[in-house]
Amino acid sequence: MTEEVTLTIDGREIRATPGDNLVKVARAHDINIPSLCYFEHLDQPLGTCRVCMCNVDGRIVPACMQRVHAGMEVAFETPKLSDMRHAVLEMMFAEGNHVCPACPKSGDCDLQRLGYEMEVRTVRFPHLFKDRYIDLNAKRTVVDTNRCVKCARCVEEVRTDDGKQVYSFCNRGNETVVAIDYEQEARLTDAQARKAMRVCPTGAIIVRGEPSWTRPFGDRRYDLHPIRGPETLVRRKKTKATPNKRDKKTVATISLAGCYGCHMSMLDTDLGLIDRVDIIEFNKSPLNDIKEFTKRCDLGIIEGGVCNSDNVEVLKEFRRQCDVLVCIGECAVWGGVPALRNTIPLRECLEETYLHCESVEPGQGVVPFDDDLPKLLDRVYACNEIVKIDHYIPGCPPNADIIWKSVANILWDEDNSILYSDFKYD
Amino acid sequence: MTPPVDDRTQLLDALWACQKRHGYIRDEDVASLADALAVSKIEIEGVVSFYHFLHRQPTGDFTVYLDNSIVSECKGFARVKQAFEHATGSAFGRTPVSRRFGLFETACIGLSDQQPAALINFYPFTNLNTLKVKQIVAALERGEPASSLCDEVANNIRFAPGGGKAIFLRDYEPGRAVRKLVGQDPQAIIDEVGRAQVRGMGGAFFPTAIKWASCRQVANSPKYVVCNADEGEPGTFKDRVLLNKYPGLVLEGMIIAAYAVGASAGIVYLRAEYQWLKHKVEAAITDLRRRKLLGTAIAGIAGFDFDIRIQLGAGAYVCGEETALLNSLEGKRGEPRTKYFYPTEKGFLDQPTVVNNVETCCAVARVLELGADHFLRTGTTKSPGTKLLSISGDCRKPGIYEVEWGTSIHEVLALCGANAPHYIQVSGPSGECVSLREADRRLALDDLRCGGSFMIFDHTRDILGILRNFTEFFKHESCGVCTPCRAGNFLVQRKLTMIGSRLARASDFSDLHNWGKVIGATSRCGLGVSATNSLRLAIERFPEYFKSRIIPDDNVTHFDLEAAVKAHEEFR
Ligand SMILES: Cc1cc2nc3c(=O)[nH]c(=O)nc-3n(C[C@H](O)[C@H](O)[C@H](O)COP(=O)(O)O)c2cc1C
Ligand code: SF4
Ligand code: SF4
Ligand code: SF4
């Protein structure tokens, strides 16, 4: 047995066996360095995801590549490092096409869990909406390249009994995909196929016929608490020691390319609504059917993304009339469900809907176009691609409690503690 | 017939053979190679799809790879591209309908001093224009072979320091360097190279003696010496000229390295773009073997056995990164390895390996030939010796310049006849850009490091246009294995494209600057680490330009409604 050595992580002294992996050592001491590609059993770590960046002895490096040694000084929770890790995680959301409400792995997905644990409310990058495919040709598994983060776990870990690769990276750069060897894949045993789904940190590999996603909310792996840590981790956004007095504020709301689900959620507070009417005056909003702004507002609440020219005008009007704009719901935050069309050219979407679809008599269809109708945009845009947005509340829809807490936080600087179990993308 | 393979290291050669024979790699080739190597077919597909000169679709009788680097862009790329499309009736990037001409764009092919340039069936065609393209295509159609139509590539050697100070650009006599090994201890060789302060010329400037010493002390054998002739950094062509003019000198450097570290086999990893140089290197190998300077008992030193072979790359800038290069040599996807092990410890086939750049090999050969003192008499105290610059762009005399370390940017600009320089790109897109304000800076280890590429742009070139070209390059050449480089460069490219020629918000530029920092700090290999250097430095060093590109209102974005509704307007 080798002598243990002492290292420090954020100033805390930790004893560990020299040569052990830093991520493993840190996790053993409840310091949860995030990672999507790290496996304890691989002694040449994959080093692909780059979410575990730390400062080790003065250099910014991925923690998974570090073997601990005596006197090692590790910085983990600094604003700069945390921002860096966030940025890398956000890149994964921007790069892929992640629609959690429609994903079988939602609630069991490590990418999503990291998003929750690291409180990713929005992504600083514009979503790329690259057209990616779902490979349905294999016998045992389905690979959805929209959700793959190219961690290489499946490439390295999933092999047939005679050691042949089943999944491999193909192409390179931003075209890189995980491709399946159909022949070898068909030879996987049940256990091997399930392992493929398990090693995948996202919903990119799904075993055919696995009913794992039929579990209700609350029963899924990451619904209630982070992977390590207390049942209900309370997160806070910076709040003043004493909140401002609740003076009356004017609020406007709108649903752009959304389903009104977020508005329904706002109303879903039973008697709470009565309290709010005393301190919030609604101006332009579908809630009171006021169509035009009649005064300047303290806050504008936007549901839905931007899919047509009218949405653009309305959103710009909100920016002009409101001091602060907040996006609620996935659609407003990054495009959401309507943005599913973004990987398909508009012409094809319209022709499919109005000309070639089964309910249209052949030759009878017309694509609607009139100068009095709003024009469709080439794709659905996130609100922050059109105007500056100040705050984001994710969820599909976010629950009422979160919406009102966040609003109170913005308007009166009130406490904004949110339970881990309330913070959701689906 | 698919060529037979015994082991994975022969895979690239086998794939090349298929590509050349059929114009693409057929399903049966993939199947039989997978079978022979006992791997799954998808593993072979993974390798094929990594390299851009290997295709799974027919590419026609003639493949044209037109250089789309920034210098080519400045010298008329768009016109030449159009000329090729008109003359051949094919479109770029698509499988040729006619089965005659396959047209493709490719990153810098190492001919920046004679742009626009293209490779046709991998033979070089330089200084292209519309007329020349027409004539070339017509001649090919008539059945004249590309090998006889192609241009004699000029070396364009323009300058070397006088007074016998030159290190690289001087006469070469085979064996003069290697014979100096006789009677010397390997450690003494390493010490001499160390005394001359030779550093890696491939861009990382790692002290060569330290690299060799660490490989020497590893007990495992066999050991390997690899010469990195992948020269992919846009704007660089010094290695091309060295391989063309002094192939023997390069090989002698490898032999010396082998002696120093105790290696028994050497490989020149030659980029596919330089296939037309392969016979020169082969001839030099044969010549050295004939002189008993390669093979067994080299230069009569009993027990010193070492031989060299050439491995052709297949089109991937990232394979210049030494660990990616090693993977490529092993017949794998050219993904850089993690830094968990150094190549000197676990390199080619997990054996101790020294990887050195072409110019570094020449430098160590000259150390033996001329002595370390010769090096110490040139350059500066901290950076002794000289450096080869590949100069291109807006100047009268593009070509190769050997300058002493310590030469200022001003002096270089004067030497090459740059009349109105405005934006200077030192060390290629992954290096740094310099404005005239910094022209007093000197090329030196402790000031401005230069890997070799030196591109000059005058004020008619739009800076964002230059940066967009660079970003496209990195987006395309990223190996895709780590998130920040794969996704980050794509995001940067998308943003620069969206800004286009319009004005942008101040926050767009600060975003780009910040994203660049993150990509640089978190990427796995040097490609991602340096991909956003130029972008960041340009924002810092050309503040007037970027200020002139800003819209005053930060509340609205550069969203272009007119462009966004165009697709729907088509249904009017
Ligand atoms: C993306 C990338 C591309 C590179 N391309 C080359 C190259 O084309 N030629 C080269 O010699 N070194 C290249 N290098 C540097 C090599 O990794 C390595 O440092 C060099 O070959 C070592 O030899 P040296 O010490 O003699 O310079 C590249 C590095 C990176 C990160
Ligand atoms: S659950 Fe995970 S894989 Fe599925 S869409 Fe959400 S983030 Fe992506
Ligand atoms: S499919 Fe899953 S395991 Fe494989 S690389 Fe993608 S995210 Fe990783
Ligand atoms: S930085 Fe880019 S090229 Fe290097 S390993 Fe990462 S993805 Fe590959």
Side-chain angles (χ1 to χ4, degrees):
Chain A
M1 180 81 197
T2 349
E3 279 291 298
E4 288 204 330
V5 295
T6 306
L7 66 148
T8 61
I9 303 182
D10 289 334
R12 190 175 138 199
E13 286 197 358
I14 284 172
R15 307 271 301 157
T17 313
D20 270 5
N21 193 291
L22 176 58
V23 174
K24 181 177 144 191
V25 169
R27 286 183 182 173
H29 291 83
D30 276 337
I31 298 167
N32 192 18
I33 299 181
S35 163
L36 288 170
C37 67
Y38 175 70
F39 269 135
E40 271 188 20
H41 64 274
L42 284 185
D43 188 36
Q44 161 110 267
L46 298 171
T48 52
C49 80
R50 320 304 281 181
V51 205
C52 65
M53 303 306 292
C54 288
N55 185 316
V56 175
D57 299 331
R59 289 175 48 237
I60 295 174
V61 289
C64 70
M65 285 294 144
Q66 309 302 313
R67 309 174 182 102
V68 302
H69 59 79
M72 188 179 211
E73 281 180 32
V74 182
F76 170 60
E77 276 302 353
T78 71
K80 193 176 146 201
L81 288 165
S82 162
D83 181 66
M84 207 172 263
R85 291 189 296 264
H86 268 81
V88 175
L89 188 71
E90 289 170 23
M91 282 181 198
M92 298 186 194
F93 284 105
E95 184 194 26
N97 298 309
H98 295 274
V99 190
C100 294
C103 179
K105 199 77 173 272
S106 191
D108 294 307
C109 164
D110 285 289
L111 175 63
Q112 191 190 54
R113 166 181 66 82
L114 278 190
Y116 294 162
E117 288 183 12
M118 291 163 69
E119 277 182 84
V120 174
R121 284 159 199 265
T122 183
V123 167
R124 70 192 73 180
F125 311 102
H127 280 252
L128 289 164
F129 296 113
K130 187 173 164 52
D131 191 13
R132 299 176 193 275
Y133 62 86
I134 304 174
D135 190 341
L136 294 161
N137 298 317
K139 197 172 141 215
R140 317 295 315 262
T141 56
V142 173
V143 169
D144 186 341
T145 59
N146 292 291
R147 304 185 190 129
C148 169
V149 294
K150 274 71 88 173
C151 68
R153 280 178 161 197
C154 62
V155 176
E156 292 302 320
E157 289 284 289
V158 183
R159 304 219 172 224
T160 55
D161 286 335
D162 49 0
K164 288 191 179 165
Q165 263 185 14
V166 175
Y167 305 96
S168 170
F169 283 149
C170 276
N171 309 329
R172 69 166 191 237
N174 67 311
E175 300 287 340
T176 308
V177 288
V178 160
I180 317 173
D181 192 302
Y182 304 132
E183 217 171 280
Q184 306 304 331
E185 200 260 5
R187 297 171 55 219
L188 290 179
T189 63
D190 283 351
Q192 284 165 338
R194 245 178 272 123
K195 177 180 170 189
M197 180 163 166
R198 206 175 53 242
V199 297
C200 178
T202 71
I205 300 183
I206 301 293
V207 175
R208 287 180 186 275
E210 272 280 309
S212 67
W213 54 86
T214 53
R215 283 178 292 154
F217 275 45
D219 282 1
R220 305 173 305 179
R221 215 160 135 217
Y222 303 127
D223 272 346
L224 300 179
H225 54 85
I227 192 162
R228 269 156 243 256
E231 281 278 291
T232 47
L233 181 86
V234 179
R235 58 193 68 240
R236 282 162 192 278
K237 235 178 125 195
K238 46 179 176 311
T239 51
K240 285 186 192 163
T242 42
N244 294 348
K245 206 173 105 280
R246 283 192 168 192
D247 49 344
K248 194 155 186 163
K249 300 281 186 184
T250 316
V251 173
T253 77
I254 188 73
S255 175
L256 304 173
C259 68
Y260 279 91
C262 295
H263 272 77
M264 297 304 284
S265 189
M266 274 191 263
L267 296 175
D268 187 23
T269 61
D270 304 327
L271 293 177
L273 208 55
I274 296 168
D275 302 339
R276 270 161 208 139
V277 174
D278 288 341
I279 45 168
I280 291 178
E281 177 194 337
F282 284 99
N283 198 263
K284 178 177 162 72
S285 168
L287 298 175
N288 52 16
D289 212 23
I290 297 181
K291 307 271 196 232
E292 301 294 338
F293 280 100
T294 57
K295 65 194 263 202
R296 191 164 178 82
C297 297
D298 297 294
L299 177 69
I301 298 179
I302 318 285
E303 167 191 338
V306 182
C307 76
N308 63 33
S309 51
D310 184 56
N311 292 164
V312 175
E313 291 316 315
V314 173
L315 184 55
K316 285 187 171 168
E317 173 79 356
F318 264 73
R319 183 70 266 180
R320 281 192 295 272
Q321 299 285 357
C322 305
D323 292 343
V324 176
L325 285 190
V326 54
C327 279
I328 62 170
E330 297 299 314
C331 302
V333 173
W334 63 268
V337 174
L340 286 172
R341 77 159 159 102
N342 283 7
T343 58
I344 305 163
L346 180 70
R347 169 169 286 274
E348 284 175 35
C349 289
L350 290 173
E351 288 179 347
E352 181 62 27
T353 318
Y354 293 103
L355 305 183
H356 310 313
C357 133
E358 292 207 6
S359 60
V360 177
E361 289 280 322
Q364 298 299 301
V366 205
V367 175
F369 185 93
D370 191 291
D371 278 327
D372 291 337
L373 290 175
K375 313 271 176 307
L376 287 177
L377 306 185
D378 54 344
R379 64 176 175 88
V380 177
Y381 291 76
C383 293
N384 68 4
E385 291 183 272
I386 314 293
V387 300
K388 186 173 146 229
I389 299 292
D390 304 293
H391 299 279
Y392 302 88
I393 309 176
C396 188
N399 81 28
D401 212 34
I402 294 196
I403 298 176
W404 291 116
K405 264 192 175 158
S406 305
V407 166
N409 173 260
I410 294 163
L411 291 177
W412 302 289
D413 257 318
E414 285 179 21
D415 176 65
N416 182 24
S417 305
I418 297 172
L419 294 179
Y420 173 96
S421 53
D422 281 343
F423 189 68
K424 289 278 168 286
Y425 301 151
D426 62 357
Chain B
M1 255 290 289
T2 308
V5 284
D6 308 321
D7 69 66
R8 188 76 182 254
T9 62
Q10 300 170 0
L11 180 59
L12 271 194
D13 283 346
L15 291 170
W16 262 121
C18 302
Q19 174 71 39
K20 294 228 157 136
R21 196 168 310 154
H22 310 289
Y24 71 115
I25 290 152
R26 304 164 307 165
D27 289 347
E28 54 259 53
D29 298 327
V30 172
S32 75
L33 287 169
D35 206 35
L37 296 172
V39 299
S40 58
K41 279 188 280 195
I42 206 71
E43 224 181 308
I44 307 287
E45 298 276 12
V47 174
V48 172
S49 60
F50 189 86
Y51 299 96
H52 62 246
F53 293 132
L54 301 178
H55 297 264
R56 290 285 276 116
Q57 299 289 323
T59 51
D61 301 334
F62 305 105
T63 56
V64 178
Y65 286 98
L66 179 61
D67 184 321
N68 66 8
S69 65
I70 185 63
V71 178
S72 170
E73 212 176 271
C74 293
K75 304 283 174 185
F77 166 80
R79 267 179 290 125
V80 172
K81 178 175 172 179
Q82 205 179 35
F84 268 115
E85 294 193 330
H86 281 170
T88 63
S90 295
F92 267 81
R94 252 173 278 146
T95 312
V97 193
S98 64
R99 297 254 161 162
R100 293 286 281 164
F101 286 88
L103 306 182
F104 304 93
E105 289 184 27
T106 194
C108 181
I109 57 177
L111 294 166
S112 299
D113 51 341
Q114 28 214 316
Q115 289 290 356
L119 298 169
I120 302 183
N121 287 357
F122 292 98
Y123 290 99
F125 290 78
T126 58
N127 297 315
L128 296 172
N129 56 36
T130 311
L131 188 66
K132 196 169 168 187
V133 167
K134 264 190 207 160
Q135 289 163 347
I136 294 167
V137 171
L140 290 169
E141 299 262 27
R142 280 196 306 272
E144 288 178 45
S147 54
S148 62
L149 284 171
C150 71
D151 289 294
E152 179 83 37
V153 174
N155 283 332
N156 285 335
I157 292 177
R158 305 281 190 181
F159 178 83
K165 278 181 157 185
I167 288 173
F168 300 99
L169 304 176
R170 58 192 300 140
D171 67 321
Y172 164 70
E173 192 192 300
R176 237 189 321 200
V178 166
R179 290 209 180 86
K180 290 267 166 73
L181 292 173
V182 178
Q184 294 242 42
D185 184 63
Q187 188 56 48
I189 303 292
I190 296 180
D191 292 344
E192 186 72 356
V193 169
R195 205 164 66 80
Q197 297 183 40
V198 175
R199 294 196 174 232
M201 304 294 199
F205 299 99
F206 191 79
T208 304
I210 297 181
K211 187 187 282 189
W212 289 8
S214 76
C215 184
R216 177 172 157 70
Q217 53 111 23
V218 181
N220 286 358
S221 64
K223 295 181 186 173
Y224 298 96
V225 169
V226 173
C227 172
N228 188 341
D230 197 51
E231 189 161 58
E233 191 65 39
T236 320
F237 48 89
K238 62 181 179 77
D239 294 348
R240 173 199 98 206
V241 172
L242 288 173
L243 290 165
N244 198 21
K245 194 164 159 63
Y246 306 104
L249 188 67
V250 179
L251 299 173
E252 288 198 46
M254 293 176 70
I255 300 170
I256 292 161
Y259 185 72
V261 306
S264 55
I267 306 170
V268 178
Y269 187 88
L270 185 67
R271 70 189 303 224
E273 291 85 342
Y274 290 171
Q275 282 181 56
W276 52 276
L277 282 169
K278 193 172 171 218
H279 72 278
K280 291 243 166 146
V281 185
E282 274 165 353
I285 292 176
T286 315
D287 180 57
L288 289 178
R289 281 194 194 128
R290 204 172 40 78
R291 294 169 190 269
K292 304 259 181 277
L293 297 171
L294 261 184
T296 49
I298 289 172
I301 304 170
F304 180 29
D305 307 337
F306 177 72
D307 212 341
I308 296 176
R309 71 172 172 91
I310 302 172
Q311 174 66 56
L312 206 56
Y317 162 69
V318 70
C319 285
E321 199 282 340
E322 54 187 0
T323 59
L325 187 154
L326 294 170
N327 276 344
S328 183
L329 282 177
E330 292 179 9
K332 298 178 182 157
R333 290 166 59 78
E335 290 162 359
R337 300 174 179 176
T338 61
K339 302 286 171 283
Y340 218 55
F341 299 106
Y342 285 104
T344 46
E345 187 186 349
K346 281 190 183 191
F348 180 53
L349 302 174
D350 277 352
Q351 293 300 123
T353 305
V354 161
V355 182
N356 273 132
N357 169 256
V358 169
E359 189 182 347
T360 316
C361 290
C362 291
V364 296
R366 294 297 198 199
V367 171
L368 282 229
E369 181 186 335
L370 306 168
D373 289 329
H374 182 101
F375 280 68
L376 298 177
R377 277 193 296 272
T378 52
T380 68
T381 340
K382 280 192 180 150
S383 324
T386 63
K387 178 77 192 99
L388 289 181
L389 301 183
S390 323
I391 300 185
S392 63
D394 296 316
C395 65
R396 270 186 295 115
K397 292 180 282 181
I400 292 291
Y401 292 71
E402 177 174 353
V403 298
E404 289 185 61
W405 284 111
T407 307
S408 73
I409 300 282
H410 266 312
E411 288 164 330
V412 175
L413 293 172
L415 274 179
C416 68
N419 291 334
H422 175 57
Y423 174 107
I424 303 142
Q425 186 70 32
V426 180
S427 303
S430 45
E432 55 181 294
C433 54
V434 173
S435 75
L436 280 187
R437 260 192 295 266
E438 289 125 313
D440 284 331
R441 289 183 66 184
R442 295 181 179 280
L443 301 177
L445 281 179
D446 48 352
D447 191 351
L448 194 57
R449 293 177 168 210
C450 178
S453 172
F454 196 99
M455 298 188 280
I456 302 160
F457 302 95
D458 64 25
H459 63 274
T460 62
R461 318 291 180 193
D462 180 40
I463 294 181
L464 275 173
I466 298 172
L467 296 171
R468 210 165 17 245
N469 178 291
F470 292 171
T471 317
E472 289 279 353
F473 169 75
F474 288 118
K475 171 190 150 205
H476 193 252
E477 296 296 336
S478 157
C479 85
V481 91
C482 77
T483 314
C485 169
R486 179 190 64 240
N489 282 311
F490 194 4
L491 288 159
V492 168
Q493 182 264 351
R494 183 64 76 78
K495 190 161 189 110
L496 283 177
T497 310
M498 291 221 290
I499 293 172
S501 48
R502 285 193 301 276
L503 299 179
R505 293 187 295 173
S507 57
D508 287 323
F509 293 132
S510 57
D511 281 352
L512 283 168
H513 196 270
N514 288 333
W515 301 359
K517 264 196 282 192
V518 172
I519 296 170
T522 57
S523 285
R524 168 155 151 173
C525 86
L527 190 150
V529 167
S530 51
T532 50
N533 280 356
S534 307
L535 176 62
R536 268 148 54 206
L537 288 172
I539 293 172
E540 289 165 22
R541 291 180 179 170
F542 294 86
E544 297 87 359
Y545 170 81
F546 283 92
K547 219 173 266 159
S548 75
R549 301 296 308 260
I550 287 174
I551 29 171
D553 183 2
D554 216 48
N555 272 335
V556 287
T557 67
H558 44 70
F559 173 75
D560 183 350
L561 182 60
E562 225 171 278
V565 296
K566 224 164 157 184
H568 194 194
E569 296 267 3
E570 286 171 15
F571 289 95
R572 178 182 286 277

